[in-house]
Amino acid sequence: MAVIETAKSAGFCFGVDRAVKLVYEALEHGKRVATLGPIIHNDSVVADLLQRGARIISNVSEASPDETIVIRSHGVGKAVYEQLNSLGLSYIDATCPFVARIHKIVAEQSALGHEILIAGDATHPEVEGIVGHCSENCTVFHDKDELKCLIDRKFEKSKKMLAIVAQTTYNKLLWEDCIKVLPPEHPDILVFDTICSATGARQSDADALSRQSDLMIVAGGRHSSNTVKLYDVCRRNCPTWHIAEPEELLGLSDTLRAAAADALAAKTDGSPLRIGITAGASTPAHIIKEVQTHMSGIFDTDNIIPESDEFRAAFEEELDKSFRKIRTGERVIGIVESISGNNEVMVDVGAKQTGIVTLSELTSDSSKKPSDLVKVGDELNLIVIKVNDADGTVQLSKRRVDELVGFENILKAKEEGTVLEGTVQSAVKGGLVVNSDGVRVFIPASQSGLGRDADLNTLVKQDVRFVIIDVNEQRRRAVGSIRQVQKTERDAAKAKFWETAKEGDVFTGEVKSLTSYGAFVDLGGIDGMVHVSELSWARIHQPSDVVSVGDTLEVYIKALNPETGRISLGHRRAEDNPWVKFTENFHVDDVVEATIVSTTSFGAFARITDGVDGLIHISQLSDKRVTNVKDVVNVGDVVTVKITEIDTEKKRISLSIRALLDTESEEAAEESDEVVYSDENAEAAEETAEA
Ligand code: F3S
């Protein structure tokens, strides 16, 4: 069992806190900020400030005229102020008032001709600054021994009065030792206790805590002199570790556990392990919290003694500062944290309140669920509708941002004539409602691209392309036209067609409409016509015998007339001509199977191949006399016939059944053929067949 306790005064001191706040404020007011050296001995705070636009310079000459220079809490010498003023640079003086007090003391004492002795580290920026306010007669000393030498020398050589001050973070115990070596109540020695009370309090608290702890952790920058002094104070009383970042504890966990085991073994009263934590004046409260968390993990304990009110107040203030203030109407970025059923999405907007986006504020599409639209981790552009501090929530809307952005796009699209895309949401009285980038666009029925009596519902849920033809900015209403897009595209397609098309070009197009004389085929924005005679090699009465609206047809341009705009198309291919195919494959005297397709008073027509019929004259139907054709054959019968003649000029074929029955009949058939082949009879036969 272990108990974790944090020193009463730990972390940010008043002076550092003030300096850091001044930099944040300057940045928030849009100033370009350059700090004279790192504002604080804490890498994470410095990194945050750099990320927000501040920069660090090491001397005034590096500053730009438009920058505001920040003098950090350590303060600077008189020469730096003179340089800033002579260059006309604006600056913020964040010198800690406790340090400024020392500047005042040493300046006054120097002016009186007194010799100044400074207890501290001569290389520390604060001490350099103090020296910079003294005349030449000043000396820095480390400890009582150096002080004693100085005093002895002084009283040997000069009669000047001495003024002794200390660096604000000077070790209080060392200071007390120093006082002891001074001659008591000497009239020529003036002592100013300038150790900062915050430093003193931290050191006293650290001393007290480390005396009752089994091990101590001191958090703070490696170059932070007050942190180093806290470390010195604590390690006199118990095993102590100085860490700059909480994560360093992970690498120390075994060492810490071993030290804890030793401490517990040495205990005779069975009391629990006591772990103390303190931190330097540059350490933010959240770092101290992280140290507590790491230590409670390493020692598997939740027994953390509550921090002082002072610390808690600092932590809450820091937390508040880290959260952005949020105002109604503000545009914010939110990260999706969770999706609650079908109703709402929780988002983190970097504020202390929980962000909520209800479904109706997520989308205007009521058919969607939150999970259809977003997933955890998504970044959303949102607008604040309402801040509710009482229940710690912020109502946000994505839909309204989409509409705002969408409407800006709509205005731009109208100006530039851009074609937009959207989904038809519904058919309403007089037109369609289309959603484009979250904006409702009304498309009047006359601009829908459909015919006058067409059903607008056929476009619902369809993606459509349209242009904006009217906008009412105040009411955020837009009117669009699908028809105009179609017309523009048709015109462009027509222009391109007439520029490039030539006879023989092949197209594959959809049959758009049919008449009794032909089929109109879409060639890509322009229609051409295939005459009924061009649709098939077979004998057809009307286009609908072979094609329907919506069919896809391969066509070629037979003739073009740019003046009338007429385009004649062909569909039948010469190589598909059934007569040509027939003459290549069939010859006189061939015996073939044929199907009776019609009968007349003088004979029957039989189909040999698709599109090729021959005539079986009544006299050739049998070797006996036939008075009625239907007594021998009927439509649909399949008969075996002999090809007795092929008239390539007139494209006529004579067939005979009788020729196959016997020789005698064959001879008789030959006699009769002369009758069949007379033009008169053939034409009469064809007329009859067509009739
Ligand atoms: Fe000032 Fe004391 Fe902090 S001198 S900067 S308040 S440690």
Side-chain angles (χ1 to χ4, degrees):
M1 187 61 179
V3 179
I4 298 173
E5 188 172 357
T6 302
K8 214 160 64 181
S9 53
F12 263 16
C13 67
F14 153 78
V16 169
D17 190 39
R18 174 174 168 271
V20 171
K21 273 184 186 151
L22 285 169
V23 179
Y24 275 108
E25 270 171 30
L27 289 169
E28 272 168 26
H29 286 99
K31 291 189 174 153
R32 294 193 59 217
V33 172
T35 62
L36 263 178
I39 194 75
I40 179 175
H41 291 302
N42 184 281
D43 291 345
S44 63
V45 175
V46 170
D48 185 52
L49 289 170
L50 294 181
Q51 204 243 328
R52 287 168 194 252
R55 73 179 188 113
I56 300 170
I57 55 174
S58 49
N59 61 63
V60 173
S61 60
E62 292 171 20
S64 309
D66 60 341
E67 278 179 321
T68 298
I69 315 304
V70 179
I71 298 169
R72 54 189 175 165
S73 59
H74 297 319
V76 291
K78 204 165 76 179
V80 176
Y81 290 98
E82 287 167 359
Q83 195 183 2
L84 285 165
N85 290 329
S86 70
L87 292 172
L89 292 169
S90 67
Y91 64 90
I92 295 169
D93 191 352
T95 305
C96 173
F98 295 126
V99 178
R101 177 173 160 255
I102 306 175
H103 292 173
K104 188 162 177 282
I105 292 170
V106 298
E108 285 172 0
Q109 294 300 315
S110 291
L112 293 170
H114 298 169
E115 186 149 341
I116 311 295
L117 300 184
I118 306 163
D121 174 1
T123 61
H124 190 277
E126 181 192 323
V127 176
E128 288 175 347
I130 296 168
V131 170
H133 286 271
C134 302
S135 308
E136 284 173 12
N137 53 346
C138 79
T139 311
V140 180
F141 65 93
H142 272 105
D143 52 25
K144 65 175 190 327
D145 298 332
E146 281 187 22
L147 175 63
K148 188 155 182 353
C149 291
L150 284 168
I151 300 282
D152 293 346
R153 242 190 358 233
K154 139 95 187 118
F155 286 119
E156 277 168 20
K157 288 186 184 169
S158 103
K159 288 288 170 207
K160 273 188 183 173
M161 280 185 69
L162 291 178
I164 306 176
V165 295
Q167 184 180 345
T168 53
T169 50
Y170 193 69
N171 186 317
K172 208 163 175 52
L173 302 175
L174 292 183
W175 176 252
E176 282 161 10
D177 290 345
C178 290
I179 301 302
K180 284 179 194 156
V181 301
L182 295 175
E185 296 183 10
H186 197 291
D188 289 342
I189 300 176
L190 300 172
V191 178
F192 299 89
D193 182 356
T194 52
I195 295 179
C196 163
S197 58
T199 306
R202 265 164 192 69
Q203 288 175 10
S204 309
D205 291 344
D207 184 48
L209 183 60
S210 57
R211 281 178 197 279
Q212 62 187 45
S213 297
D214 297 307
L215 57 95
M216 281 291 293
I217 303 296
V218 179
R222 300 239 180 269
H223 305 296
S224 161
S225 92
N226 74 83
T227 309
V228 172
K229 280 171 193 123
L230 287 176
Y231 171 68
D232 287 341
V233 166
C234 295
R235 70 187 174 130
R236 289 185 198 161
N237 303 321
C238 70
T240 303
W241 284 264
H242 175 184
I243 55 156
E245 299 294 337
E247 292 72 30
E248 290 173 31
L249 290 169
L250 299 175
L252 287 172
S253 52
D254 288 343
T255 312
L256 292 169
R257 284 197 198 101
D262 289 347
L264 282 172
K267 280 178 187 277
T268 51
D269 58 359
S271 61
L273 181 77
R274 296 193 72 88
I275 299 163
I277 297 171
T278 189
S282 304
T283 310
H286 77 267
I287 299 259
I288 301 173
K289 277 276 184 198
E290 282 177 48
V291 173
Q292 288 176 346
T293 308
H294 278 295
M295 292 304 280
S296 92
I298 291 169
F299 290 102
D300 194 20
T301 178
D302 290 333
N303 197 347
I304 300 173
I305 294 177
E307 308 89 354
S308 65
D309 291 347
E310 185 190 334
F311 176 85
R312 268 205 303 279
F315 182 68
E316 273 162 28
E317 191 192 339
E318 204 178 283
L319 211 59
D320 264 5
K321 213 165 50 186
S322 72
F323 285 131
R324 51 195 307 269
K325 298 263 181 304
I326 205 153
R327 286 178 291 275
T328 303
E330 189 182 344
R331 294 263 290 265
V332 294
I333 301 282
I335 311 289
V336 177
E337 284 189 319
S338 64
I339 298 169
S340 161
N342 293 334
N343 303 323
E344 56 192 25
V345 172
M346 305 296 181
V347 293
D348 176 8
V349 287
K352 55 185 172 186
Q353 299 93 337
T354 303
I356 298 172
V357 189
T358 58
L359 180 59
S360 63
E361 291 300 339
L362 193 62
T363 176
S364 52
D365 186 348
S366 54
S367 67
K368 295 270 196 293
K369 296 195 300 272
S371 54
D372 296 335
L373 305 162
V374 295
K375 59 183 186 314
V376 171
D378 279 0
E379 211 173 79
L380 306 180
N381 272 308
L382 303 162
I383 192 163
V384 179
I385 309 172
K386 190 177 174 196
V387 181
N388 193 335
D389 280 327
D391 62 8
T393 59
V394 186
Q395 299 289 333
L396 302 147
S397 175
K398 176 177 183 293
R399 177 178 61 82
R400 296 184 202 193
V401 174
D402 291 346
E403 283 174 7
L404 281 173
V405 174
F407 203 76
E408 281 160 19
N409 291 341
I410 292 272
L411 286 172
K412 196 161 166 238
K414 178 171 185 288
E415 218 173 278
E416 297 173 358
T418 314
V419 175
L420 298 174
E421 290 184 359
T423 308
V424 177
Q425 283 195 314
S426 58
V428 294
K429 194 177 170 201
L432 299 165
V433 174
V434 176
N435 184 317
S436 173
D437 275 345
V439 180
R440 281 162 58 93
V441 177
F442 177 68
I443 296 187
S446 61
Q447 299 297 322
S448 68
L450 296 178
R452 188 184 289 256
D453 298 321
D455 181 5
L456 290 173
N457 285 299
T458 56
L459 287 179
V460 173
K461 299 254 183 296
Q462 302 288 315
D463 291 335
V464 291
R465 302 168 71 241
F466 57 92
V467 287
I468 301 297
I469 52 175
D470 194 20
V471 168
N472 182 327
E473 282 193 53
Q474 270 186 336
R475 300 181 67 200
R476 292 195 187 283
R477 295 276 160 82
V479 180
S481 170
I482 298 171
R483 188 170 146 236
Q484 223 171 80
V485 174
Q486 292 174 342
K487 183 178 179 308
T488 308
E489 288 177 351
R490 262 199 317 272
D491 289 350
K494 268 185 199 163
K496 188 169 176 216
F497 177 87
W498 288 111
E499 248 175 51
T500 56
K502 57 187 185 307
E503 286 178 15
D505 282 355
V506 177
F507 294 84
T508 300
E510 188 184 320
V511 177
K512 303 300 278 185
S513 60
L514 297 175
T515 64
S516 59
Y517 51 85
F520 287 86
V521 177
D522 177 16
L523 304 178
I526 188 166
D527 290 350
M529 192 195 74
V530 190
H531 190 265
V532 63
S533 61
E534 273 294 331
L535 282 170
S536 172
W537 285 107
R539 202 187 294 267
I540 61 169
H541 294 105
Q542 56 201 2
S544 59
D545 289 347
V546 285
V547 289
S548 303
V549 171
D551 283 357
T552 301
L553 221 54
E554 187 177 277
V555 294
Y556 63 93
I557 297 175
K558 283 187 76 180
L560 289 165
N561 187 337
E563 279 166 29
T564 59
R566 282 206 185 132
I567 306 158
S568 299
L569 303 173
H571 172 61
R572 302 190 310 182
R573 294 276 173 186
E575 58 269 29
D576 296 332
N577 186 333
W579 178 259
V580 173
K581 281 188 179 173
F582 173 80
T583 53
E584 282 170 6
N585 296 310
F586 295 90
H587 305 96
V588 170
D589 288 341
D590 282 355
V591 175
V592 296
E593 301 249 290
T595 305
I596 304 299
V597 290
S598 64
T599 57
T600 68
S601 57
F602 55 84
F605 286 94
R607 180 149 302 162
I608 305 163
T609 62
D610 270 350
V612 180
D613 298 345
L615 173 67
I616 313 170
H617 189 265
I618 191 168
S619 62
Q620 295 302 310
L621 284 170
S622 169
D623 54 356
K624 298 187 179 65
R625 181 176 175 75
V626 178
T627 51
N628 187 350
V629 173
K630 289 182 180 169
D631 290 344
V632 185
V633 289
N634 282 290
V635 172
D637 289 352
V638 176
V639 293
T640 303
V641 293
K642 183 174 186 178
I643 299 171
T644 52
E645 186 182 349
I646 298 173
D647 183 341
T648 49
E649 206 175 303
K650 292 184 178 166
K651 295 190 178 124
R652 285 178 186 161
I653 304 157
S654 298
L655 305 170
S656 173
I657 297 172
R658 182 180 161 193
L660 298 172
L661 295 178
D662 55 42
T663 317
E664 209 176 303
S665 301
E666 214 169 70
E667 283 166 9
E670 279 171 19
E671 282 167 29
S672 309
D673 278 351
E674 285 162 26
V675 180
V676 171
Y677 295 143
S678 77
D679 282 349
E680 208 179 39
N681 274 347
E683 274 165 26
E686 201 164 331
E687 275 165 27
T688 310
E690 282 172 7

